[in-house]
C-alpha cells in the first residue's frame, strides 16, 4: 500500500507546504528514523523546518521512497492534502497531525510523539464523496482552478 504524508508550517488556507513523502511514511515509521523523530518532536518553527528538509533529503537518499520538495511543484493529481494519508504541520510550538479528511489537528507530545489512535474523517463514506467538506481541517489548494482535480475515491 502506498502511503502519502504532507508536511506544512501553520494552519488553514495560508499554511505553507514544506514537502511530501511517499511509500511507508506512516508516522510510526517516521519515528524510527532520526530525521523523522526530529520532525515530529520539533518545538520551534526553525527546528521543524530544518527537520522536514533533512527528512525529505534522507528519505530519497536512503531509498525509502519518493520525496517531493515544493521547488518541484505539487506532486499529486488532486488539489489538496485532504486525499493523502497523513498531514503533519507545526504551530503553537509543537507538531500536529491529522489524517486525510480529518476534522481537527492532534498535538504530538514531544516526549512521546505517537500518533493518535483516531484522527481520520469522522464519516469515511462522506469523506470519499467530498474530502474537503466540513468538518475537514482547512488546507490550501495546490492546483490551478482550471485544472481538473482527481477525487479521493481512486485511493481506496
Amino acid at each position: 500500500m502506498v502511503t502519502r504524508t504532507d508536511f506544512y508550517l501553520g494552519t488553514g488556507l495560508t499554511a505553507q507546504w514544506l514537502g511530501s513523502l511517499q511509500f511507508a511514511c506512516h508516522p510510526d515509521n517516521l519515528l524510527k528514523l532520526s530525521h523523522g523523530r526530529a520532525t515530529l518532536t520539533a518545538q520551534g518553527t526553525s527546528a521543524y523546518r530544518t527537520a522536514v528538509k533533512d527528512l525529505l533529503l534522507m528519505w530519497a537518499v536512503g531509498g525509502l521512497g519518493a520525496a517531493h520538495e515544493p521547488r518541484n511543484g505539487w506532486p499529486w493529481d488532486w488539489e489538496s492534502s485532504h486525499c493523502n494519508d497523513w498531514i503533519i504541520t507545526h504551530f503553537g510550538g509543537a507538531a500536529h497531525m491529522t489524517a486525510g479528511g480529518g476534522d481537527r489537528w492532534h498535538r504530538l507530545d514531544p516526549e512521546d510523539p505517537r500518533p493518535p489512535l483516531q484522527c481520520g474523517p469522522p464519516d469515511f463514506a462522506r469523506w470519499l464523496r467530498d474530502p474537503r467538506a466540513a468538518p475537514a481541517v482547512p488546507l490550501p489548494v495546490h492546483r490551478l482552478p482550471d485544472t481538473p482535480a482527481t477525487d479521493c475515491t481512486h485511493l481506496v
Side-chain angles (χ1 to χ4, degrees):
M1 183 172 125
V2 175
T3 306
R4 296 171 187 88
T5 301
D6 293 331
F7 297 90
Y8 287 87
L9 186 58
T11 61
L13 300 177
T14 60
Q16 180 186 6
W17 173 58
L18 300 179
S20 301
L21 296 178
Q22 191 173 3
F23 303 111
C25 51
H26 185 283
D28 287 338
N29 290 337
L30 298 181
L31 288 171
K32 297 174 186 175
L33 305 169
S34 61
H35 299 292
R37 181 168 283 280
T39 298
L40 299 181
T41 61
Q43 295 183 34
T45 301
S46 178
Y48 177 77
R49 187 185 297 274
T50 299
V52 169
K53 185 177 179 181
D54 292 345
L55 176 60
L56 293 172
L57 175 66
M58 295 313 296
W59 195 260
V61 169
L64 299 170
H68 305 282
E69 296 181 45
R71 66 187 166 123
N72 297 321
W74 183 247
W76 316 121
D77 289 337
W78 39 94
E79 64 185 23
S80 76
S81 294
H82 288 112
C83 288
N84 288 340
D85 302 285
W86 298 99
I87 307 158
I88 300 172
T89 192
H90 191 278
F91 64 91
H96 293 70
M97 71 175 13
T98 194
D103 62 347
R104 66 186 176 103
W105 292 110
H106 300 267
R107 184 183 187 279
L108 297 178
D109 179 354
E111 300 300 319
D112 186 18
R114 291 179 294 169
L117 294 177
Q118 295 181 344
C119 72
D123 181 344
F124 192 74
R126 181 176 181 204
W127 171 75
L128 284 175
R129 289 190 305 273
D130 186 1
R132 292 166 311 226
V137 296
L139 291 168
V141 172
H142 297 284
R143 297 190 67 77
L144 297 173
D146 57 349
T147 303
T150 305
D151 65 19
C152 296
T153 55
H154 70 283
L155 299 173
V156 179

